[in-house]
Amino acid sequence: MGKGDKPVNSTGNPVETDVLIVGAGPSGAATSALLATYGIDNIMINKYGGTAPTPRAHITNQRTMEVLRDLGLERRALEFATPQRQMAEHVYANTLVSEELGRLLTWYNHPKWKAEHDLASPCSVCDIPQTEMEPLLVHEAANRGAKVLLNTEYLSQEQDETGVTVTLRDHIKGQDFSVRCRYLVAADGGKSQIVKDIDLPLVGRGGLGGSIGVYFKGDLSRYVEHRQGDMYWLVQPGVGMGGYSIGVLRMVKPWDYWVATSGFDIKAGPPDLTDDLARDIAYRLIGDRDVEIEILEISTWTVNDICATESIRGRIVAMGDAVHRHPPMNGLGSNTCIQDAYNLAWKLAMILRGQAGRGLLQSYEDERVPVGEYIVKRANKSMAVVPNLLQSLGLGGAADVAGLEDCLASLKAPTQEAAKKRAKVRDAIDTSIVGFNTLGAELNQRYDSTAIVADGTPDPGYTEDPDFHYEASTRPGCHLPHVWLLQGRKKVSSFDLCGKGSFTLLTGLSGQAWGPAAEEVSNRLGIPIAVHIIGPGKTYDDIYGDFARMREVEEDGVLLVRPDLFIGWRAQTASQIDELLEVMGQILDRPGVATQASTDRLSRSGSLRFAT
């Protein structure tokens, strides 16, 4: 097929789209839903006949809930979610019915953590299993105009200067067909064929441990309603999760849908995934074989420590698990996938509409590759603390039954030796908080790319550990801080004034000159720029004074907020109004606009006040 030929399907008609998305998991489905919301024609394919059959990912952090809020889906998502308060109690024991070794309040439910969590966002962490998240996003993508093709598999691609020709297989008809797209998004998961085909560099190691997940139905309410949590950590003989002698009972739906996680020796290969094996794993963790259970699914997964150092090849962009693969600790997986989509979608939309140059796409790689590298390291560091409990008990990586029973019995002895062991066990439980309460890891992303225009201020750094504590800032490259404002009688978040695929200017009551400036720049660039003047007598009032404290600029200064709620630029005062066009030109990779803006300003002032 030559470059000028149009691909055809079996009927002889060309199949064309702006964006083809391979994969309907969290990253692909979120990308499709966002692009459709922005009015961009896209096709999303899934080689399977439906969405995820097992719960897989489940922790849904504040940043992801903010994306759903921007899409208008937060309220619907919460209908499927287990709320934060029911995720709190992590129990450590031998089995679900045995005497506890201890408990830990997680997911920011301890009052020490709760205030920081609540101040950071209008949204709360919750538990939405992938079996609920994927259908929500896929349905919404289709409902908003995306074309969703199931039982359709990616085979190969060939790209040129104007687009990508992708060969797909329709497993219903047993036929191959081609799609011509302007951009191809590889959201095809941890075994991504597209990443292999375009030879993206991957660093790290895979297959560091093997785990078995048993999805089952069973009423365990009598054992957990008095200590409600989303995970119960159970010291078990033999090989456990990730190669350690610890299994997990994970709540999927309170309190009758669960995943029992055990492990296997990865060197020996995965076991036969039989119904008998599934029942044995579930019953060993529960500790009561009289409970009636129904096995729904049994599957395996491996512990990986892999990330891509690049994510773009021409018109092909990789995202999600295709470029960052790691253990489930901290619940960073699907969250990072959906946040990849939030970063990418508005950029593709503006490029495809001719509002931005193709250079804007590079900022996706520059901003999200470091995030992927970071979360892979963070999840593996958290996974590394799992053996601490075994070590505190004096057990190795694969505890035998007799040794475990003797160890647990010895903890009750009224001796100094037992007291020391009890203290070690308590310390190991407390230390495990690093797998759950990493607010900074979730919220502290700071971008550095051409789509961020520095304002000359030094990076403030962090006063506390950035893995565990969120520190808000309006410095360019940081996420817009959340504050509550008043709209009439209704409280709204600063986030609610922004997003929806558009740039936004936020300023104080003295910054009214930014309105006409934004209108002029909007007309020059052909893009909408929303302006919100915050103060008494305006639509939004800073009734608590929090916006004034948050903004870090003068009242007549401004925050330029990108569609993904990151600060693209800020001006200390209204004297910098004439920089707005140049700033937007840089962010959008429209150098002609930036050059003209510089010329205009030179003719007016004889000097350039803007420093790149």
mmCIF file of all heavy atoms in Angstrom, residues 347-378:
data_model
loop_
_atom_site.group_PDB
_atom_site.id
_atom_site.type_symbol
_atom_site.label_atom_id
_atom_site.label_comp_id
_atom_site.label_asym_id
_atom_site.label_seq_id
_atom_site.Cartn_x
_atom_site.Cartn_y
_atom_site.Cartn_z
ATOM 1 N N LYS A 347 -3.723 17.503 24.867
ATOM 2 C CA LYS A 347 -2.636 17.847 23.943
ATOM 3 C C LYS A 347 -2.930 17.312 22.540
ATOM 4 O O LYS A 347 -2.783 18.037 21.544
ATOM 5 C CB LYS A 347 -1.306 17.310 24.483
ATOM 6 C CG LYS A 347 -0.900 17.957 25.802
ATOM 7 C CD LYS A 347 0.350 17.338 26.422
ATOM 8 C CE LYS A 347 0.687 18.042 27.730
ATOM 9 N NZ LYS A 347 1.854 17.469 28.404
ATOM 10 N N LEU A 348 -3.349 16.054 22.474
ATOM 11 C CA LEU A 348 -3.729 15.510 21.169
ATOM 12 C C LEU A 348 -4.895 16.295 20.574
ATOM 13 O O LEU A 348 -4.911 16.586 19.366
ATOM 14 C CB LEU A 348 -4.128 14.038 21.311
ATOM 15 C CG LEU A 348 -3.014 12.995 21.367
ATOM 16 C CD1 LEU A 348 -3.611 11.605 21.536
ATOM 17 C CD2 LEU A 348 -2.137 13.049 20.121
ATOM 18 N N ALA A 349 -5.859 16.649 21.400
ATOM 19 C CA ALA A 349 -7.031 17.376 20.905
ATOM 20 C C ALA A 349 -6.628 18.705 20.288
ATOM 21 O O ALA A 349 -7.089 19.070 19.191
ATOM 22 C CB ALA A 349 -8.032 17.596 22.035
ATOM 23 N N MET A 350 -5.759 19.444 20.946
ATOM 24 C CA MET A 350 -5.370 20.760 20.433
ATOM 25 C C MET A 350 -4.490 20.641 19.197
ATOM 26 O O MET A 350 -4.586 21.459 18.277
ATOM 27 C CB MET A 350 -4.690 21.569 21.529
ATOM 28 C CG MET A 350 -5.661 22.027 22.598
ATOM 29 S SD MET A 350 -4.973 23.282 23.707
ATOM 30 C CE MET A 350 -6.473 23.730 24.608
ATOM 31 N N ILE A 351 -3.653 19.615 19.146
ATOM 32 C CA ILE A 351 -2.839 19.385 17.943
ATOM 33 C C ILE A 351 -3.744 19.044 16.767
ATOM 34 O O ILE A 351 -3.597 19.585 15.663
ATOM 35 C CB ILE A 351 -1.815 18.268 18.194
ATOM 36 C CG1 ILE A 351 -0.752 18.724 19.218
ATOM 37 C CG2 ILE A 351 -1.138 17.852 16.888
ATOM 38 C CD1 ILE A 351 0.129 17.593 19.712
ATOM 39 N N LEU A 352 -4.687 18.142 16.991
ATOM 40 C CA LEU A 352 -5.569 17.703 15.909
ATOM 41 C C LEU A 352 -6.486 18.816 15.420
ATOM 42 O O LEU A 352 -6.867 18.850 14.248
ATOM 43 C CB LEU A 352 -6.395 16.510 16.381
ATOM 44 C CG LEU A 352 -5.594 15.198 16.513
ATOM 45 C CD1 LEU A 352 -6.351 14.178 17.355
ATOM 46 C CD2 LEU A 352 -5.271 14.632 15.143
ATOM 47 N N ARG A 353 -6.852 19.744 16.280
ATOM 48 C CA ARG A 353 -7.696 20.872 15.877
ATOM 49 C C ARG A 353 -6.877 22.004 15.263
ATOM 50 O O ARG A 353 -7.448 23.024 14.874
ATOM 51 C CB ARG A 353 -8.480 21.397 17.083
ATOM 52 C CG ARG A 353 -9.602 20.478 17.534
ATOM 53 C CD ARG A 353 -10.570 21.190 18.462
ATOM 54 N NE ARG A 353 -9.951 21.573 19.716
ATOM 55 C CZ ARG A 353 -10.167 20.964 20.889
ATOM 56 N NH1 ARG A 353 -10.989 19.924 20.949
ATOM 57 N NH2 ARG A 353 -9.592 21.386 21.983
ATOM 58 N N GLY A 354 -5.563 21.832 15.184
ATOM 59 C CA GLY A 354 -4.716 22.876 14.626
ATOM 60 C C GLY A 354 -4.475 24.026 15.573
ATOM 61 O O GLY A 354 -3.971 25.074 15.175
ATOM 62 N N GLN A 355 -4.770 23.828 16.863
ATOM 63 C CA GLN A 355 -4.574 24.887 17.852
ATOM 64 C C GLN A 355 -3.183 24.850 18.464
ATOM 65 O O GLN A 355 -2.779 25.793 19.153
ATOM 66 C CB GLN A 355 -5.626 24.755 18.958
ATOM 67 C CG GLN A 355 -7.048 24.948 18.462
ATOM 68 C CD GLN A 355 -8.071 24.544 19.497
ATOM 69 O OE1 GLN A 355 -7.831 23.665 20.324
ATOM 70 N NE2 GLN A 355 -9.237 25.167 19.461
ATOM 71 N N ALA A 356 -2.458 23.752 18.243
ATOM 72 C CA ALA A 356 -1.117 23.594 18.800
ATOM 73 C C ALA A 356 -0.239 22.893 17.787
ATOM 74 O O ALA A 356 -0.718 22.139 16.921
ATOM 75 C CB ALA A 356 -1.168 22.793 20.101
ATOM 76 N N GLY A 357 1.058 23.121 17.912
ATOM 77 C CA GLY A 357 2.017 22.435 17.056
ATOM 78 C C GLY A 357 2.309 21.046 17.591
ATOM 79 O O GLY A 357 2.035 20.721 18.750
ATOM 80 N N ARG A 358 2.907 20.214 16.750
ATOM 81 C CA ARG A 358 3.188 18.832 17.144
ATOM 82 C C ARG A 358 4.202 18.742 18.272
ATOM 83 O O ARG A 358 4.289 17.733 18.970
ATOM 84 C CB ARG A 358 3.670 18.024 15.942
ATOM 85 C CG ARG A 358 2.555 17.620 14.983
ATOM 86 C CD ARG A 358 3.068 16.681 13.918
ATOM 87 N NE ARG A 358 3.640 15.463 14.478
ATOM 88 C CZ ARG A 358 4.330 14.572 13.787
ATOM 89 N NH1 ARG A 358 4.547 14.773 12.489
ATOM 90 N NH2 ARG A 358 4.807 13.499 14.347
ATOM 91 N N GLY A 359 4.963 19.816 18.474
ATOM 92 C CA GLY A 359 5.931 19.818 19.567
ATOM 93 C C GLY A 359 5.286 19.688 20.933
ATOM 94 O O GLY A 359 5.931 19.264 21.897
ATOM 95 N N LEU A 360 3.995 20.055 21.042
ATOM 96 C CA LEU A 360 3.295 19.915 22.321
ATOM 97 C C LEU A 360 3.258 18.459 22.763
ATOM 98 O O LEU A 360 3.277 18.170 23.965
ATOM 99 C CB LEU A 360 1.872 20.473 22.202
ATOM 100 C CG LEU A 360 0.978 20.352 23.440
ATOM 101 C CD1 LEU A 360 1.569 21.118 24.622
ATOM 102 C CD2 LEU A 360 -0.438 20.847 23.127
ATOM 103 N N LEU A 361 3.223 17.537 21.798
ATOM 104 C CA LEU A 361 3.148 16.123 22.140
ATOM 105 C C LEU A 361 4.377 15.670 22.922
ATOM 106 O O LEU A 361 4.272 14.821 23.818
ATOM 107 C CB LEU A 361 2.985 15.284 20.871
ATOM 108 C CG LEU A 361 2.766 13.782 21.069
ATOM 109 C CD1 LEU A 361 1.503 13.521 21.878
ATOM 110 C CD2 LEU A 361 2.695 13.078 19.722
ATOM 111 N N GLN A 362 5.538 16.238 22.593
ATOM 112 C CA GLN A 362 6.763 15.837 23.288
ATOM 113 C C GLN A 362 6.674 16.112 24.780
ATOM 114 O O GLN A 362 7.290 15.418 25.601
ATOM 115 C CB GLN A 362 7.977 16.562 22.689
ATOM 116 C CG GLN A 362 9.321 16.201 23.317
ATOM 117 C CD GLN A 362 9.655 14.723 23.198
ATOM 118 O OE1 GLN A 362 9.403 14.105 22.157
ATOM 119 N NE2 GLN A 362 10.211 14.139 24.263
ATOM 120 N N SER A 363 5.893 17.128 25.152
ATOM 121 C CA SER A 363 5.772 17.443 26.579
ATOM 122 C C SER A 363 5.097 16.309 27.345
ATOM 123 O O SER A 363 5.299 16.172 28.556
ATOM 124 C CB SER A 363 5.010 18.752 26.782
ATOM 125 O OG SER A 363 3.636 18.617 26.453
ATOM 126 N N TYR A 364 4.282 15.508 26.666
ATOM 127 C CA TYR A 364 3.690 14.333 27.326
ATOM 128 C C TYR A 364 4.792 13.398 27.808
ATOM 129 O O TYR A 364 4.795 12.951 28.960
ATOM 130 C CB TYR A 364 2.738 13.601 26.378
ATOM 131 C CG TYR A 364 2.397 12.202 26.855
ATOM 132 C CD1 TYR A 364 1.465 12.015 27.874
ATOM 133 C CD2 TYR A 364 3.014 11.088 26.302
ATOM 134 C CE1 TYR A 364 1.166 10.735 28.330
ATOM 135 C CE2 TYR A 364 2.723 9.804 26.755
ATOM 136 C CZ TYR A 364 1.806 9.636 27.764
ATOM 137 O OH TYR A 364 1.524 8.367 28.220
ATOM 138 N N GLU A 365 5.728 13.102 26.938
ATOM 139 C CA GLU A 365 6.840 12.230 27.321
ATOM 140 C C GLU A 365 7.686 12.874 28.413
ATOM 141 O O GLU A 365 8.037 12.228 29.413
ATOM 142 C CB GLU A 365 7.713 11.913 26.108
ATOM 143 C CG GLU A 365 8.935 11.061 26.425
ATOM 144 C CD GLU A 365 9.743 10.714 25.186
ATOM 145 O OE1 GLU A 365 9.266 9.859 24.406
ATOM 146 O OE2 GLU A 365 10.817 11.304 24.989
ATOM 147 N N ASP A 366 8.003 14.150 28.243
ATOM 148 C CA ASP A 366 8.869 14.829 29.209
ATOM 149 C C ASP A 366 8.241 14.913 30.588
ATOM 150 O O ASP A 366 8.948 14.905 31.605
ATOM 151 C CB ASP A 366 9.205 16.234 28.713
ATOM 152 C CG ASP A 366 10.021 16.221 27.429
ATOM 153 O OD1 ASP A 366 10.656 15.188 27.131
ATOM 154 O OD2 ASP A 366 10.030 17.248 26.708
ATOM 155 N N GLU A 367 6.918 14.988 30.640
ATOM 156 C CA GLU A 367 6.229 15.129 31.925
ATOM 157 C C GLU A 367 5.867 13.787 32.557
ATOM 158 O O GLU A 367 5.961 13.624 33.782
ATOM 159 C CB GLU A 367 4.964 15.970 31.738
ATOM 160 C CG GLU A 367 5.268 17.422 31.388
ATOM 161 C CD GLU A 367 4.053 18.261 31.030
ATOM 162 O OE1 GLU A 367 2.930 17.696 31.002
ATOM 163 O OE2 GLU A 367 4.207 19.460 30.773
ATOM 164 N N ARG A 368 5.471 12.821 31.750
ATOM 165 C CA ARG A 368 4.949 11.582 32.325
ATOM 166 C C ARG A 368 5.977 10.464 32.474
ATOM 167 O O ARG A 368 5.806 9.591 33.343
ATOM 168 C CB ARG A 368 3.772 11.087 31.483
ATOM 169 C CG ARG A 368 2.568 12.009 31.480
ATOM 170 C CD ARG A 368 2.056 12.331 32.869
ATOM 171 N NE ARG A 368 1.525 11.143 33.562
ATOM 172 C CZ ARG A 368 1.064 11.147 34.793
ATOM 173 N NH1 ARG A 368 1.072 12.271 35.518
ATOM 174 N NH2 ARG A 368 0.601 10.038 35.356
ATOM 175 N N VAL A 369 7.036 10.456 31.670
ATOM 176 C CA VAL A 369 8.061 9.424 31.855
ATOM 177 C C VAL A 369 8.679 9.498 33.252
ATOM 178 O O VAL A 369 8.817 8.464 33.925
ATOM 179 C CB VAL A 369 9.134 9.495 30.751
ATOM 180 C CG1 VAL A 369 10.394 8.723 31.167
ATOM 181 C CG2 VAL A 369 8.586 8.918 29.447
ATOM 182 N N PRO A 370 9.045 10.686 33.755
ATOM 183 C CA PRO A 370 9.569 10.736 35.126
ATOM 184 C C PRO A 370 8.564 10.251 36.170
ATOM 185 O O PRO A 370 8.953 9.642 37.170
ATOM 186 C CB PRO A 370 9.903 12.223 35.331
ATOM 187 C CG PRO A 370 10.132 12.757 33.957
ATOM 188 C CD PRO A 370 9.155 12.012 33.094
ATOM 189 N N VAL A 371 7.284 10.520 35.944
ATOM 190 C CA VAL A 371 6.262 10.031 36.872
ATOM 191 C C VAL A 371 6.234 8.502 36.862
ATOM 192 O O VAL A 371 6.191 7.853 37.917
ATOM 193 C CB VAL A 371 4.876 10.597 36.510
ATOM 194 C CG1 VAL A 371 3.786 9.944 37.355
ATOM 195 C CG2 VAL A 371 4.848 12.106 36.697
ATOM 196 N N GLY A 372 6.273 7.912 35.663
ATOM 197 C CA GLY A 372 6.286 6.453 35.557
ATOM 198 C C GLY A 372 7.488 5.845 36.247
ATOM 199 O O GLY A 372 7.375 4.844 36.973
ATOM 200 N N GLU A 373 8.656 6.428 36.045
ATOM 201 C CA GLU A 373 9.870 5.934 36.691
ATOM 202 C C GLU A 373 9.736 6.008 38.209
ATOM 203 O O GLU A 373 10.129 5.085 38.928
ATOM 204 C CB GLU A 373 11.078 6.746 36.226
ATOM 205 C CG GLU A 373 11.431 6.531 34.758
ATOM 206 C CD GLU A 373 12.538 7.462 34.285
ATOM 207 O OE1 GLU A 373 12.818 8.459 35.005
ATOM 208 O OE2 GLU A 373 13.114 7.222 33.213
ATOM 209 N N TYR A 374 9.168 7.098 38.681
ATOM 210 C CA TYR A 374 9.040 7.297 40.121
ATOM 211 C C TYR A 374 8.090 6.285 40.750
ATOM 212 O O TYR A 374 8.401 5.685 41.793
ATOM 213 C CB TYR A 374 8.555 8.717 40.421
ATOM 214 C CG TYR A 374 8.118 8.903 41.843
ATOM 215 C CD1 TYR A 374 9.059 9.059 42.864
ATOM 216 C CD2 TYR A 374 6.768 8.879 42.190
ATOM 217 C CE1 TYR A 374 8.666 9.188 44.177
ATOM 218 C CE2 TYR A 374 6.371 9.010 43.503
ATOM 219 C CZ TYR A 374 7.316 9.168 44.496
ATOM 220 O OH TYR A 374 6.914 9.288 45.798
ATOM 221 N N ILE A 375 6.921 6.089 40.146
ATOM 222 C CA ILE A 375 5.940 5.210 40.791
ATOM 223 C C ILE A 375 6.391 3.747 40.760
ATOM 224 O O ILE A 375 6.062 2.972 41.665
ATOM 225 C CB ILE A 375 4.526 5.397 40.191
ATOM 226 C CG1 ILE A 375 4.484 5.048 38.710
ATOM 227 C CG2 ILE A 375 4.010 6.788 40.453
ATOM 228 C CD1 ILE A 375 3.648 3.853 38.430
ATOM 229 N N VAL A 376 7.162 3.350 39.747
ATOM 230 C CA VAL A 376 7.712 1.995 39.723
ATOM 231 C C VAL A 376 8.670 1.805 40.902
ATOM 232 O O VAL A 376 8.624 0.788 41.609
ATOM 233 C CB VAL A 376 8.406 1.718 38.384
ATOM 234 C CG1 VAL A 376 9.229 0.433 38.450
ATOM 235 C CG2 VAL A 376 7.387 1.609 37.258
ATOM 236 N N LYS A 377 9.516 2.796 41.134
ATOM 237 C CA LYS A 377 10.452 2.706 42.264
ATOM 238 C C LYS A 377 9.701 2.715 43.592
ATOM 239 O O LYS A 377 10.024 1.964 44.515
ATOM 240 C CB LYS A 377 11.439 3.875 42.213
ATOM 241 C CG LYS A 377 12.427 3.801 41.066
ATOM 242 C CD LYS A 377 13.328 5.037 41.034
ATOM 243 C CE LYS A 377 14.261 5.002 39.838
ATOM 244 N NZ LYS A 377 15.088 6.239 39.735
ATOM 245 N N ARG A 378 8.699 3.591 43.702
ATOM 246 C CA ARG A 378 7.965 3.723 44.959
ATOM 247 C C ARG A 378 7.230 2.426 45.296
ATOM 248 O O ARG A 378 7.265 1.962 46.441
ATOM 249 C CB ARG A 378 6.974 4.874 44.851
ATOM 250 C CG ARG A 378 6.058 5.109 46.036
ATOM 251 C CD ARG A 378 6.807 5.527 47.274
ATOM 252 N NE ARG A 378 7.055 4.400 48.153
ATOM 253 C CZ ARG A 378 7.853 4.432 49.200
ATOM 254 N NH1 ARG A 378 8.498 5.558 49.508
ATOM 255 N NH2 ARG A 378 8.037 3.370 49.966
#
